[in-house]
Amino acid sequence: MLKESAGGWGLGARASNRQTRLIEVVVVVAIALLLIFVMPTVLSSFRLNLLGRFLALAIVGLGIDLIWGYTGLLSLGHGIFFGLGGYAIGMHLKLQIPPGELPDFMGLYGVTELPWFWKPFYLFPVASAAVVIIPAILAGLFGYLVFRNRIRGVYFSILTQAGVIIFFNFFNGQQKLFNGTNGLIDFSTILGANVSAQSTQVVFYILTVLLLIGTYALCRWLTSGRFGRLLMAIRDDESRVRFSGYDPTEFKVFVFAVSGAIAGIAGAMYTLQSGSVSPRAMDVAFSIEMVIWVAIGGRASLVGAVVGTLLVNYARSFFSEEYAEIWLFFQGALFLLVVTVLPDGIVGWLRNTGIQQLGRKQVITYPSLEEDPEVENERQNLGN
Amino acid sequence: MKDKILEIEDVTVSFDGFKALNNLNFSLDVGELRVIIGPNGAGKTTFLDVITGKTKPTQGRVLFKGRNLKSLPEHQISRLGIGRKFQTPRIYLNLTPRENLEISSNRQKNVFATLFKHSSSAERKTITGLLETIGLSSNADIRADKLSHGEKQRLEIGMLVAQSPDLLLVDEPVAGLTDEETENVGNLLLALAESHSILVIEHDMEFVRQIARQVTVLHQGSVLKEGTIDEVQNDPRVIEVYLGQPLEDTASEVQHSSEKLETLNIGNSKL
């Protein structure tokens, strides 16, 4: 009797799982259609560009959530990968010049020959592959060295922070190679199209939406199923995972590399829409901001990462248009508020309280009793 | 002579000069159930750490099925067939018992197999059977942090079994359990002993009596005495270091143990 009802419950849960999955797909597609077809007609080109940039930042938010929310790796250096993605596409754009000529800034510093590593970036396929591959390889290598030596927690975060400072200083100091502080600016064409033309920008915007959806699907796939559960197991008790016969290093390196690649894509899309990439992308504060977006939206919730990113960035653009001086105070206050009052972020809070109550059919008198296995058991046995 | 599944030869582990294990020699037959007892600080947990690769011996060697474990990291030792249960239940609290077991039972433990392969129906069947064995069928799909302490202990033992190791290392499986739960766990271990070699560390002497055939006493990082529970309990050195002060109690406990057992039986039949 008991067994039957338990089995029936399991089947029911599986069926409703499939239903939730279907609803999720429908919602995501609906949002995508809204973003792609409605927004360009509703918003001014300035506002659309802003939204496109924020959506690009949401991609890196997903990457942060994947490693922090699900795997427990707090990276304070994702600006490295974001910046590298931006520079990779930026270098391609700076090479849209007649053969034999050099990118404009190089002349200023007396460079006479194109540095060897710039050359592959003439080709669009190479540059766009580099957007993904260079950050992935660098993240994988960094991850391997760090995780193999079992460096974890705050020590890992400090190392990522050190990494981002090194990269900032490198790109900031290399005027001949990367135009130093100013970075790569004044892009002209991409694949023959004018970069700053309205029609091209709409294409970038749509591409960003599609990449965001793709990244969401990828992260959703990675974090569900057996692999996702193992990531959470590593987050919750890494050494237990070792004694179960898994090598957590492999998993962490893999997921960190994926997250780096995601940040690279975000950086490239951001660069295309903002029209420049500079060492500021590798600024320490920017990398920490990424973490704040995810914390505010909700750790270990992919929707939270996207919502948090959009929310904070819209708040920032509102405040910096209206009251530029108080934005930083506001951001600090928001972060403090979330950490102290809503530790699971906005989406986490909604998930734990609001939505659950909306979704239930019966009135809940005492939620923990409702979920207590003993009580559940007794309830099932009462019929006997 | 029987095959040895585990041999520990002259192992010394020192932490900054303190010898947690001191020239320890130990061996376990295939299929044996052995209980290790010893006062606090005797090196019992270090002993398990050395076998599972968490701590490397300063001196000496550990052989599992004749293979030296010295250069292997924990996950590889685990893959050779050694499963460990920790003193406090170490389960994944954010996952359900079914998912906990699934993680342990997965055979191919590299990144890509975990990512792309789905668990086979045979594996799922094994897990369902295992859930029944450890008595968690009705709670299989709730989050594990909602389980009681006893259920968590049983789940962790289940996770060990799901790994299908040849050697089970079980550290204080009944700490914090009620008498009834203790007996359940004892029966579970006895059932497992039919097909596995098991090493149990325990303080609870009544429990030791329930499951033990052979007992090893550790003291200051070395083996003090090996034998049956009665031999061990009657050994004057053991009484001195381990059972310590309540010498009379122990003696009387040994004398009256048969009576006590009867009382226990009556108690059970009443229940």
Side-chain angles (χ1 to χ4, degrees), chain A residues 66-86:
Chain A
L66 180 65
I67 54 162
W68 184 37
Y70 289 92
T71 324
L73 306 168
L74 174 57
S75 167
L76 298 179
H78 255 48
I80 298 174
F81 311 119
F82 185 90
L84 286 176

Side-chain angles (χ1 to χ4, degrees), chain A residues 2-3 6-7 9-10 13-14 150 221-252 254-255 367-368 371-374 376-377 380, chain B residues 52-54 73-75 78-79 82-86 90-95 99 102-106 108-119 123 132 137-139 141-142 146-148 151 156 159-160 163:
Chain A
L2 177 69
K3 220 171 284 166
W9 184 78
R14 218 165 298 153
R150 303 199 181 176
W221 176 61
L222 287 173
T223 54
S224 58
R226 190 153 61 177
F227 185 81
R229 290 194 283 273
L230 195 77
L231 293 185
M232 284 182 247
I234 290 173
R235 177 191 69 191
D236 294 344
D237 194 342
E238 184 175 337
S239 66
R240 187 72 187 86
V241 174
R242 280 181 209 283
F243 291 111
S244 295
Y246 293 92
D247 183 4
T249 308
E250 283 177 24
F251 288 84
K252 286 159 81 178
F254 176 76
V255 85
S368 77
E371 286 157 352
D372 189 337
E374 304 271 289
E376 200 67 46
N377 238 330
Q380 285 173 337
Chain B
T52 51
K54 194 177 173 209
E74 295 99 314
H75 65 273
S78 158
R79 286 180 200 177
I82 297 182
R84 176 174 185 181
K85 191 213 154 297
F86 290 83
R90 296 271 289 272
I91 57 176
Y92 309 118
L93 295 172
N94 286 314
L95 304 177
E99 291 165 348
E102 190 195 18
I103 281 187
S104 305
S105 71
N106 181 11
Q108 285 165 296
K109 301 194 169 177
N110 63 55
V111 172
F112 294 100
T114 309
L115 198 51
F116 293 108
K117 291 222 170 130
H118 290 279
S119 48
E123 230 169 76
E132 207 154 301
S137 294
S138 58
N139 290 336
D141 296 302
I142 61 167
K146 299 222 159 65
L147 297 177
S148 72
E151 288 171 322
E156 200 183 6
M159 287 166 71
L160 272 194
Q163 253 174 275

Side-chain angles (χ1 to χ4, degrees), chain B residues 66-84:
Chain B
R67 182 166 175 184
N68 193 344
L69 300 181
K70 182 156 194 166
S71 56
L72 299 178
E74 295 99 314
H75 65 273
Q76 279 178 15
I77 292 177
S78 158
R79 286 180 200 177
L80 288 177
I82 297 182
R84 176 174 185 181

Side-chain angles (χ1 to χ4, degrees), chain A residues 12 26 29 35 69 74 90 95 97 99 120 156 185 213 234-235 237 267 283 289 295 310 349 362 369 372:
Chain A
V26 170
V29 169
L35 287 173
L74 174 57
L95 288 173
I97 39 179
F156 168 76
I185 39 174
I213 302 288
I234 290 173
R235 177 191 69 191
D237 194 342
D283 194 13
E289 262 177 42
L310 294 181
W349 176 74
Q362 69 222 70
L369 206 65
D372 189 337

Side-chain angles (χ1 to χ4, degrees), chain B residues 1-136:
Chain B
M1 202 180 125
K2 277 191 177 175
D3 284 337
K4 301 284 182 203
I5 191 160
L6 182 71
E7 292 160 272
I8 291 179
E9 297 172 353
D10 268 332
V11 165
T12 298
V13 173
S14 56
F15 299 118
D16 298 324
F18 168 72
K19 287 183 176 170
L21 294 182
N22 193 359
N23 290 320
L24 181 80
N25 283 289
F26 177 87
S27 70
L28 187 74
D29 291 336
V30 172
E32 192 182 346
L33 170 67
R34 179 82 64 95
V35 178
I36 295 184
I37 60 173
N40 284 330
K44 300 186 297 288
T45 299
T46 310
F47 181 69
L48 294 193
D49 285 348
V50 162
I51 300 171
T52 51
K54 194 177 173 209
T55 307
K56 294 291 171 195
T58 318
Q59 254 175 54
R61 55 182 199 159
V62 179
L63 301 177
F64 175 67
K65 295 185 200 164
R67 182 166 175 184
N68 193 344
L69 300 181
K70 182 156 194 166
S71 56
L72 299 178
E74 295 99 314
H75 65 273
Q76 279 178 15
I77 292 177
S78 158
R79 286 180 200 177
L80 288 177
I82 297 182
R84 176 174 185 181
K85 191 213 154 297
F86 290 83
Q87 206 165 327
T88 48
R90 296 271 289 272
I91 57 176
Y92 309 118
L93 295 172
N94 286 314
L95 304 177
T96 68
R98 193 188 297 280
E99 291 165 348
N100 268 282
L101 293 177
E102 190 195 18
I103 281 187
S104 305
S105 71
N106 181 11
R107 288 285 157 268
Q108 285 165 296
K109 301 194 169 177
N110 63 55
V111 172
F112 294 100
T114 309
L115 198 51
F116 293 108
K117 291 222 170 130
H118 290 279
S119 48
S120 64
S121 65
E123 230 169 76
R124 282 202 296 273
K125 218 173 263 176
T126 316
I127 290 172
T128 311
L130 203 53
L131 281 165
E132 207 154 301
T133 312
I134 56 174
L136 288 176

